[in-house]
Amino acid sequence: MHHTKMAPQCGVEVSGVSLADCNDSELLEIKQTIYEHGVAVFRDQDFSPEDHIKFGRRWGGIDVNNYFPLQEDFNEIAVVKKEADQSTNIGGAWHTDHSYDQIPAMGSVLVARDLPPKGGDTMWAHMGAAYDALSDDLKAEIEGLEAYHTADHVYEEGGLYAQTDMGEHLRGQNLKTGAVHPVVIRHPQTGRKLLYVNSGFTINFVGQTREESLPLLTKLLDAALTDDNQCRLQWAPGTVAIWDNRTSWHNAMNDYAGHRREMHRITLSGEALAA
Ligand code: SIN
């Protein structure tokens, strides 16, 4: 397997392996790479929906997403799509998948199925590098803090998506979610300290109102993005990206008006997070 960095502190392109039939030691190497770099990109993969599901189960299990439409014939696959006549996309802001669950999904496996002629890139940011770059004062301020995460304001009736042309295509409007996680977690496998708040789902610090939390939360969200810790993927047919939802944030670019984009996503089961 050959690794090429996508940016100084985030993401790696991996060549020389077929995800559909990698052996156990290759799978271990892939896992370790993703835990460390946040996201790994694999080009020219022959990866059917059956392969996608088999890979997710082999990794350690699949958490089915509660909101996105599911692939008709393969219900463990969430369909992340935007039609040519829609203006809103899914995931078009910095976030990490499923942080609103008390046991959040470990990661996600996204496969390109139908791409616009240009645009529709995805960006990732590395939350280990983000934590390291915080000032000592800010690190001291967030030591021991916990934060509340929910998806209700995004997906509920009257929520963010409901006000857009994506609203009617989503499921789960009646669901209630809520989870508390440390603001700084230790990666369960690498032990690295990671900043674990995100603009999509983190609402407030425990013991503080949303208003009281906003100044520090905004400071952290702003500080988390640096040029060095972000990478950007230009998709092509056959591209698969696998990312770690603890190590990284991601953001889907919405710059392909008039064209269709369809991706298939499986979210990989995770574990409870600790400081
Ligand atoms: C997401 O999982 O948030 C969507 C990513 C993408 O469509 O590029």
Side-chain angles (χ1 to χ4, degrees):
M1 255 184 267
H2 185 71
H3 296 181
T4 312
K5 278 188 170 192
M6 295 169 72
Q9 302 203 67
C10 186
V12 71
E13 268 208 43
V14 178
S15 57
V17 68
S18 162
L19 292 174
D21 38 47
C22 59
N23 62 35
D24 288 348
S25 76
E26 286 173 326
L27 182 60
L28 265 182
E29 186 176 336
I30 290 168
K31 285 185 176 186
Q32 199 56 36
T33 302
I34 290 160
Y35 297 151
E36 281 170 22
H37 296 277
V39 56
V41 170
F42 303 83
R43 301 288 192 182
D44 303 317
Q45 296 290 314
D46 190 0
F47 205 56
S48 67
E50 288 92 339
D51 294 330
H52 198 176
I53 291 172
K54 202 169 110 201
F55 185 84
R57 290 192 185 142
R58 203 175 153 208
W59 186 295
I62 296 173
D63 279 7
V64 177
N65 180 274
N66 287 325
Y67 303 107
F68 304 158
L70 300 177
Q71 217 282 342
E72 242 172 59
D73 302 318
F74 302 94
N75 279 184
E76 285 153 295
I77 297 178
V79 179
V80 175
K81 75 173 173 194
K82 182 183 163 220
E83 299 294 350
D85 63 355
Q86 285 181 293
S87 59
T88 304
N89 72 335
I90 289 177
W94 287 108
H95 66 286
T96 185
D97 297 332
H98 297 202
S99 75
Y100 46 80
D101 287 335
Q102 200 55 57
I103 300 190
M106 172 267 132
S108 304
V109 183
L110 192 68
V111 183
R113 295 294 181 204
D114 187 17
L115 293 169
K118 203 164 155 276
D121 296 356
T122 307
M123 297 186 72
W124 285 266
H126 197 291
M127 290 301 113
Y131 175 78
D132 292 349
L134 296 179
S135 67
D136 288 345
D137 284 352
L138 212 40
K139 283 181 183 159
E141 200 175 346
I142 59 177
E143 191 67 33
L145 267 189
E146 294 183 316
Y148 175 72
H149 300 236
T150 179
D152 296 358
H153 61 296
V154 180
Y155 297 109
E156 71 192 355
E157 255 173 67
L160 293 177
Y161 275 121
Q163 295 165 38
T164 73
D165 59 1
M166 187 58 74
E168 62 181 298
H169 303 283
L170 299 182
R171 305 154 39 242
Q173 286 194 312
N174 300 326
L175 291 174
K176 290 285 167 224
T177 57
V180 170
H181 305 292
V183 169
V184 181
I185 58 164
R186 286 255 177 210
H187 191 282
Q189 282 77 34
T190 67
R192 185 167 180 185
K193 279 188 165 188
L194 309 167
L195 184 64
Y196 196 73
V197 288
N198 68 86
S199 65
F201 304 119
T202 311
I203 305 299
N204 60 280
F205 299 113
V206 171
Q208 299 180 25
T209 63
R210 169 82 172 157
E211 290 64 35
E212 287 163 351
S213 303
L214 268 180
L216 177 58
L217 190 56
T218 309
K219 210 189 281 183
L220 291 173
L221 297 175
D222 290 347
L225 295 173
T226 68
D227 286 345
D228 274 4
N229 78 1
Q230 293 177 52
C231 66
R232 183 172 183 132
L233 168 63
Q234 214 173 336
W235 295 88
T239 303
V240 178
I242 308 177
W243 64 88
D244 184 322
N245 280 311
R246 294 82 50 95
T247 313
S248 66
W249 288 351
H250 58 283
N251 186 356
M253 300 295 107
N254 187 6
D255 55 357
Y256 49 96
H259 297 284
R260 188 174 191 280
R261 180 178 184 270
E262 178 170 331
M263 316 294 275
H264 283 182
R265 198 182 86 181
I266 275 180
T267 22
L268 303 165
S269 305
E271 58 236 277
L273 303 173

